[in-house]
Amino acid sequence: ELKGVVSKVRIDRGTFVEFQEGEKFSLPSSDNLSYSPYSIGRFIKQGDSIVKPAFSDSISVFRNEKKYHFVLGKRIDAQRH
């Protein structure tokens, strides 16, 4: 399980995220083509909240009372309306 507020994001052969509480972790390449930017490493910003349940490959990013969804290591195609 991962849960916290992002304090730092670094992209260098992968995405490295640090929470305000000091916990650090690496994210595999994950894209959601419905968002811009679509890559999770470029999408996540300082101040975002991240939640990843235990034993799940889904990760949610919360920003400005909106929820954004990524699947770790996968690409989600753009939603067609």
Side-chain angles (χ1 to χ4, degrees), residues 49-78:
S49 294
I50 293 179
V51 176
K52 185 199 130 343
F55 311 109
S56 173
D57 60 356
S58 292
I59 189 165
S60 297
V61 178
F62 295 89
R63 178 188 302 156
N64 300 327
E65 299 181 21
K66 289 186 181 177
K67 179 180 179 180
Y68 302 92
H69 177 76
F70 290 86
V71 177
L72 297 177
K74 306 256 177 171
R75 181 177 116 166
I76 299 172
D77 289 326

Side-chain angles (χ1 to χ4, degrees), residues 6 8-9 15-19 23-25 27 44 50:
V6 175
K8 198 182 289 182
V9 180
T15 300
F16 301 92
V17 178
E18 185 174 335
F19 284 147
E23 185 179 8
K24 297 177 184 178
F25 60 96
L27 294 175
I44 294 174
I50 293 179

